[in-house]
Structure formats: structure tokens, C-alpha cells
């Protein structure tokens, strides 16, 4: 702790010393200030501007997609809750029937069901994080 504080004070004293030396040079006219040094205009190339625009567009598109997905999940969950609470007959009519016999399910159908289960788990984790 003492070592860090001493380094901090040494750095402050050093910075103050450099400023004093620069002020002494300017005061005694030992330093010539040219107008060209003050102009630090960076030339922007087309490629650099293109990189910046592509970076911004990427983030804007990602934000749009994520916000639409979030809104979609919020709307679907609210509609599902509304159907379950207010209209149970419509909810029973809309629900999908699941096949419980696993011997008749093909490999592709099993993979689809497993991926749906994983997606549901991810959705539940997201809902728990945002609630």
C-alpha cells in the first residue's frame, strides 16, 4: 500500500516537473511553436469509414434482432397465459398433441424434440433472469 502511494506521488511530482519545464521553455522563448503542430487533422480513408459504418450497422442489426425476439417471447407468453386463464377451451384446441411412444419416432424427429427441449430450457433461463 505504501509502495503504491509513493509511486503515485512520484508520478504526480514528475508530471508537475514536466509541466514546469515546458512552461519555462515557452516563457524564455526556447521553444518555437509552429502552427502546423497544432493542426492534428487525421485523414480519413474510405476503408476506415467503411469499417466504422459496418461496425455500427452490425451492432444496430443485432440490437434489432434481439429486441424483436425479446418482444416476441414476451407477447407469446402473455397470450399463452391469457388463453390458459381466460379461455381454457381455446387453449385445449390449440395445444399440440405429443407422441409418447418413442419406438415410432424416427432419428430426425428425436433430434428435433431434443432441440426443442433445449430451446425451452434456454427460454426458461431467460425468463427467470428477466423476472
Amino acid at each position: 500500500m505504501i509502495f503504491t502511494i509513493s509511486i503515485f506521488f512520484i508520478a504526480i511530482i514528475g508530471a508537475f516537473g514536466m509541466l514546469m519545464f515546458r512552461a519555462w521553455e515557452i516563457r524564455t522563448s526556447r521553444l518555437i511553436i509552429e502552427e502546423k503542430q497544432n493542426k492534428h487533422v487525421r485523414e480519413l480513408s474510405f476503408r476506415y469509414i467503411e469499417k466504422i459504418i459496418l461496425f455500427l450497422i452490425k451492432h444496430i442489426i443485432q440490437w434489432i434482432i434481439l429486441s424483436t425476439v425479446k418482444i416476441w417471447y414476451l407477447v407469446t407468453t402473455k397470450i399463452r397465459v391469457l388463453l390458459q386463464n381466460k379461455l381454457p377451451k381455446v387453449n385445449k384446441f390449440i395445444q399440440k398433441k405429443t407422441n409418447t411412444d418413442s419406438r415410432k419416432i424416427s432419428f430426425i424427429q428425436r433430434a428435433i424434440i431434443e432441440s426443442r427441449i433445449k430451446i425451452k430450457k434456454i427460454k426458461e433461463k431467460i425468463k427467470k433472469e428477466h423476472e
Side-chain angles (χ1 to χ4, degrees):
M1 182 73 176
I2 296 172
F3 181 72
T4 308
I5 294 172
S6 62
I7 289 176
F8 175 72
F9 282 121
I10 291 170
I12 288 177
I13 292 169
F16 185 71
M18 287 190 288
L19 285 174
M20 292 298 293
F21 179 72
R22 182 64 74 175
W24 175 78
E25 281 184 336
I26 293 172
R27 198 175 330 116
T28 58
S29 300
R30 294 179 190 253
L31 181 66
I32 299 171
I33 300 174
E34 296 179 9
E35 292 183 18
K36 292 181 182 178
Q37 289 179 347
N38 292 337
K39 296 181 182 178
H40 293 289
V41 178
R42 183 176 177 179
E43 295 180 12
L44 295 175
S45 65
F46 180 74
R47 181 70 180 149
Y48 187 72
I49 294 170
E50 183 182 16
K51 284 182 181 179
I52 292 171
I53 291 173
L54 287 174
F55 180 78
L56 291 174
I57 289 173
K58 179 186 81 167
H59 285 288
I60 289 169
I61 290 172
Q62 285 178 349
W63 178 77
I64 290 170
I65 290 172
L66 290 175
S67 61
T68 54
V69 167
K70 181 180 176 182
I71 291 170
W72 173 258
Y73 284 134
L74 288 173
V75 168
T76 55
T77 54
K78 287 187 179 189
I79 289 173
R80 187 176 302 123
V81 168
L82 178 71
L83 287 176
Q84 287 175 352
N85 293 339
K86 302 288 183 180
L87 305 167
K89 291 181 181 179
V90 175
N91 188 27
K92 288 180 184 177
F93 182 73
I94 293 175
Q95 283 182 345
K96 296 180 183 177
K97 297 179 181 177
T98 58
N99 192 355
T100 57
D101 191 10
S102 63
R103 290 177 282 157
K104 296 180 182 177
I105 299 175
S106 69
F107 176 77
I108 296 172
Q109 289 175 340
R110 281 188 197 147
I112 291 171
I113 291 171
E114 288 174 3
S115 62
R116 285 182 181 168
I117 292 170
K118 290 178 182 178
I119 289 171
K120 285 182 183 178
K121 288 180 182 178
I122 291 172
K123 285 181 189 178
E124 289 173 1
K125 286 181 183 178
I126 291 172
K127 286 179 186 176
K128 288 179 182 177
E129 289 175 2
H130 290 287
E131 288 179 354

